[in-house]
DNA sequence: ATGTAC
């Protein structure tokens, strides 16, 4: 194991990344600031670590009985869900699929939306919507099976189509954070305030998972197929742990709930991870993707020099993104190399890839907005 | 991240 501890001798912090991985200094600085948080015990960062608005993204943070809602952030329950389609790549008419997927939001059934949003009816308009930022619905093909037996066990066939869905709880998450917002002091796990936050948090987590399911089912119907859930893993959430501890995950997927998607950028392959025992210092966590290499503002500025964001890319997938600013901010070169992130995961013994997926069509947004 | 802050 050749894992670089960027945080030096302070054993409360671990960064599971090799020296070959680009880790921005600002994100490590944000990580170290967590030591001042009430109840702080330790933090585990992954190779996708990057700076966020209020704190580092790509890490797990454990406290002694204190919930810090601001560390989970606004998009409570945001995560990645992978669904298998009952369609082979060779059966797919790519042009038809590309055209049909433009209508993803319009195709969501009103009754299904209301049903899935029953847990938070006031937020029903957001149910079955992708949202902005790095969210997407992506049609993929399984193009390599590193572990054939594991793939067989889950019915993952080479050449079959899949849907990878990345979205969250839409406007519900921000509302929950604001309502329980407590600055940096946090909430005691056992207090009425802590219990109340957890209840609303859990609703947002469920809402987000329902959103991913509804989007996958709708996208599947647009390509004349049916979606079967392989795995759904949140990466922005908090959970009580044995011994009165609280584990926060901010851009980190759980390593103790089975298979976990590891998406690359929208111009790269994705993987499906099978978690391994791993060291306890990793706080039962995995990276949630490639992680940003360049911030959004920088990417947006670069695009103002007249370059149209590319609709295609080296892997040949087509991207539905009518919002040019979003396309610039989310361009593949804003992200780290997923192969490098995966190598660090495997080297650290956190997980291994059992399958690799190539993007075919990516849905971001069909509405033009930014310039 | 967010029916996009001032």
């Amino acid at each position: 194991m050749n894992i670089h501890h960027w945080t030096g001798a302070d054993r409360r912090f671990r960064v599971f990344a090799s020296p070959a991985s680009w880790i921005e200094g600002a994100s490590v600085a944000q990580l170290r600031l967590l030591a001042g948080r009430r109840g702080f015990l330790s933090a585990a960062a992954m190779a996708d670590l990057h700076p966020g608005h209020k704190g580092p993204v790509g890490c797990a943070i454990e406290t002694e009985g204190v919930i810090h809602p601001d560390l989970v952030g606004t998009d409570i329950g945001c995560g990645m869900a992978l669904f298998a389609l009952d369609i082979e790549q060779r059966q797919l008419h790519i042009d038809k699929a590309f055209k049909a997927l433009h209508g993803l939001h319009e195709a969501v059934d009103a009754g299904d939306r209301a049903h899935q949003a029953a847990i938070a009816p006031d937020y029903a308009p957001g149910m079955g919507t992708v949202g902005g930022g790095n969210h997407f619905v992506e049609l993929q093909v399984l193009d390599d099976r590193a572990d054939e037996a594991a793939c067989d066990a889950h019915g993952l066939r080479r050449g079959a189509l899949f849907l990878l869905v990345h979205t969250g709880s839409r406007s519900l998450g921000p509302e929950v954070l604001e309502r329980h917002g407590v600055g940096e002091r946090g909430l005691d796990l056992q207090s009425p305030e802590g219990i109340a936050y957890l209840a609303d948090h859990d609703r947002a987590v469920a809402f987000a998972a329902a959103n991913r399911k509804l989007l996958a089912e709708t996208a599947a119907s647009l390509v004349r197929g049916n979606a079967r859930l392989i795995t759904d893993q949140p990466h922005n959430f908090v959970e009580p742990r044995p011994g009165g501890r609280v584990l926060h995950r901010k851009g980190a997927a759980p390593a103790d709930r089975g298979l976990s998607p590891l998406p690359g950028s929208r111009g790269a392959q994705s993987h499906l991870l099978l978690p391994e025992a791993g060291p306890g210092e990793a706080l039962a966590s995995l990276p949630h993707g490639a992680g940003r290499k360049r911030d959004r503002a920088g990417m947006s500025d670069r695009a103002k020099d007249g370059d149209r964001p590319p609709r295609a890319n080296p892997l040949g997938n087509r991207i539905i993104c009518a919002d040019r600013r979003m396309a610039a901010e989310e361009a593949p070169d804003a992200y780290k190399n997923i192969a490098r992130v995966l190598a660090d995961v495997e080297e650290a013994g956190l997980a291994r890839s059992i399958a690799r997926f190539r993007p075919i069509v990516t849905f971001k947004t069909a509405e033009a907005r930014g310039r």
Side-chain angles (χ1 to χ4, degrees):
Chain A
M1 182 162 86
N2 178 26
I3 291 306
H4 196 130
H5 293 172
W6 289 82
T7 44
D10 190 338
R11 301 181 76 80
R12 295 175 302 172
F13 299 93
R14 299 294 174 94
V15 181
F16 290 84
S18 73
S21 282
W22 165 250
I23 303 286
E24 195 172 326
S27 59
V28 178
Q30 287 185 332
L31 200 63
R32 298 192 65 95
L33 277 175
L34 299 174
R37 288 304 188 101
R38 203 162 62 87
F40 176 83
L41 288 173
S42 73
M46 303 293 148
D48 57 341
L49 183 71
H50 63 88
H53 261 294
K54 296 210 64 175
V57 179
C59 62
I61 304 132
E62 195 169 52
T63 66
E64 186 73 64
V66 182
I67 303 170
H68 289 288
D70 66 324
L71 295 184
V72 175
T74 55
D75 200 0
I76 302 165
C78 185
M80 298 280 175
L82 181 70
F83 299 80
L85 291 173
D86 51 356
I87 312 171
E88 301 287 311
Q89 181 193 15
R90 60 185 167 193
Q91 299 175 288
L92 184 78
H93 300 270
I94 292 182
D95 291 342
K96 277 190 185 174
F98 180 66
K99 193 174 175 189
L101 286 169
H102 278 76
L104 178 60
H105 285 162
E106 293 72 18
V108 173
D109 181 82
D112 290 344
R113 166 178 286 129
H115 179 68
Q116 293 296 336
I119 192 168
D122 291 351
Y123 298 86
M127 177 58 67
T129 65
V130 176
N134 54 3
H135 292 169
F136 61 83
V137 171
E138 192 166 89
L139 182 63
Q140 306 179 333
V141 59
L142 198 170
D143 73 349
D144 185 64
R145 308 199 312 164
D147 185 333
E148 304 235 339
C151 285
D152 284 343
H154 291 92
L156 310 175
R157 298 190 317 279
R158 189 166 181 279
L161 295 177
F162 291 79
L163 286 165
L164 182 62
V165 181
H166 177 203
T167 188
S169 49
R170 307 298 279 111
S171 60
L172 175 57
E175 189 277 333
V176 170
L177 177 61
E178 189 185 9
R179 186 143 45 84
H180 296 271
V182 286
E184 296 192 354
R185 189 174 180 281
L187 306 166
D188 290 315
L189 176 60
Q190 311 285 9
S191 69
E193 292 78 12
I195 291 164
Y197 169 77
L198 270 186
D200 283 345
H201 159 282
D202 290 351
R203 280 199 318 155
V205 169
F207 189 95
N211 189 20
R212 292 186 286 272
K213 173 183 157 74
L214 181 55
L215 281 164
E217 289 172 348
T218 305
S221 73
L222 289 175
V223 295
R224 305 272 185 263
N226 295 289
R228 171 174 66 92
L229 178 67
I230 302 299
T231 185
D232 184 329
Q233 301 290 2
H235 50 235
N236 291 345
F237 69 111
V238 63
E239 63 177 347
R241 302 286 281 187
R245 296 182 172 194
V246 179
L247 183 55
H248 307 70
R249 291 192 182 87
K250 176 60 170 178
D256 53 2
R257 299 182 179 191
L259 299 176
S260 189
L262 182 72
S265 71
R266 291 321 98 228
Q269 285 136 328
S270 294
H271 289 265
L272 183 58
L273 301 179
L274 177 63
E276 301 196 290
E281 291 87 347
L283 299 177
S285 297
L286 298 168
H288 74 317
R292 291 198 79 89
K293 180 171 67 179
R294 313 175 122 126
D295 64 32
R296 291 194 168 97
M299 294 303 293
S300 196
D301 288 347
R302 281 197 337 167
K304 285 179 184 159
D305 302 334
D307 288 343
R308 280 180 145 265
R311 289 177 57 215
N313 57 61
L315 292 181
N317 63 311
R318 291 206 264 169
I319 301 174
I320 299 165
C321 187
D323 179 337
R324 294 183 57 183
R325 187 177 62 164
M326 182 191 289
E329 291 175 350
E330 295 298 319
D333 65 344
Y335 285 87
K336 301 184 191 187
N337 180 352
I338 193 60
R340 186 62 257 166
V341 173
L342 174 64
D344 286 356
V345 164
E346 295 188 331
E347 215 173 313
L350 305 179
R352 56 192 172 81
S353 171
I354 64 166
R356 191 183 67 189
F357 303 82
R358 184 166 53 79
I360 304 287
V361 177
T362 307
F363 178 94
K364 296 277 299 170
T365 179
E367 290 179 62
R369 282 196 197 174
R371 68 195 104 279

